[in-house]
Amino acid sequence: LFRSVWLKLPGWVVAFHFVVGMLFLGTIVYTAAAAWRRTERPATPGFTQLAWGTVLVGFALVSVGATIVALDADAACGTQWPGCNGGFAAGGGHADVQVAHRMLAYTVAGLALALLVLALRGRGPRLAGSLPILAVLIQMTFGILIVVVGGEGHTHEILQGLHVGGAGTVWAALVALAALSGDP
């Protein structure tokens, strides 16, 4: 952490460091959740496949988010949400990365909602099935506020920190749900 953040290394080094950290977090969460998994299969095969698919999309989301940091593109869409520089997916420059991040976030939110509905219908772990959507909604709120607040002030920095922490929370919730659901 010291070398990648405090020494002001290039953005791609910080982004790579973050993504590798997320892989470590995922491994730890998977191991812990799998140890808690019941011996009988608590989820239907369809639920399990959807949970693991959501983990993959979530990893893509975290990776593109790290790319935004690496490119210093957090303001690429200005202070517009859901639009971007006057259009839904317009912009130029690094706005395409920002739009890709937003689209992946919407996809993860939709998948987390589907997992919640299926969990409430008894096709997967109920409590664990409700945590990803909660984490995603809180995380998206931080992300939207970063865009709308804009700038470089103290509030912006706090929101950025919360958004980074939220990324780990969403990722951990997705991995835990998938691990509790069973192997793909």
Side-chain angles (χ1 to χ4, degrees):
L1 178 66
F2 176 76
R3 288 181 183 206
S4 65
V5 176
W6 296 109
L7 294 180
K8 306 274 188 202
L9 291 177
W12 71 268
V13 174
V14 176
F16 181 76
H17 181 262
F18 183 74
V19 170
V20 170
M22 286 294 163
L23 289 173
F24 282 128
L25 174 64
T27 302
I28 292 165
V29 169
Y30 174 82
T31 302
W36 282 84
R37 187 171 54 206
R38 298 183 216 140
T39 54
E40 75 272 4
R41 189 172 187 101
T44 64
F47 184 92
T48 301
Q49 290 173 349
L50 182 60
W52 282 106
T54 306
V55 165
L56 293 176
V57 178
F59 186 71
L61 173 61
V62 167
S63 298
V64 173
T67 302
I68 289 171
V69 172
L71 296 172
D72 196 25
D74 60 330
C77 289
T79 57
Q80 297 178 2
W81 182 87
C84 180
N85 296 326
F88 185 70
H94 296 307
D96 54 343
V97 181
Q98 185 68 251
V99 170
H101 183 65
R102 291 177 183 189
M103 293 300 134
L104 285 167
Y106 303 146
T107 302
V108 169
L111 292 170
L113 181 60
L115 287 166
L116 171 66
V117 170
L118 291 173
L120 293 176
R121 291 184 177 173
R123 297 195 178 131
R126 288 183 189 226
L127 178 60
S130 65
L131 295 178
I133 189 67
L134 179 62
V136 166
L137 291 175
I138 293 169
Q139 173 68 344
M140 286 179 75
T141 300
F142 293 146
I144 292 165
L145 287 173
I146 287 171
V147 171
V148 173
V149 168
E152 295 293 324
H154 187 63
T155 302
H156 185 76
E157 290 177 7
I158 290 171
L159 289 170
Q160 283 180 319
L162 291 170
H163 195 60
V164 169
T169 303
V170 169
W171 173 242
L174 292 173
V175 171
L177 176 60
L180 290 169
S181 299
D183 295 323

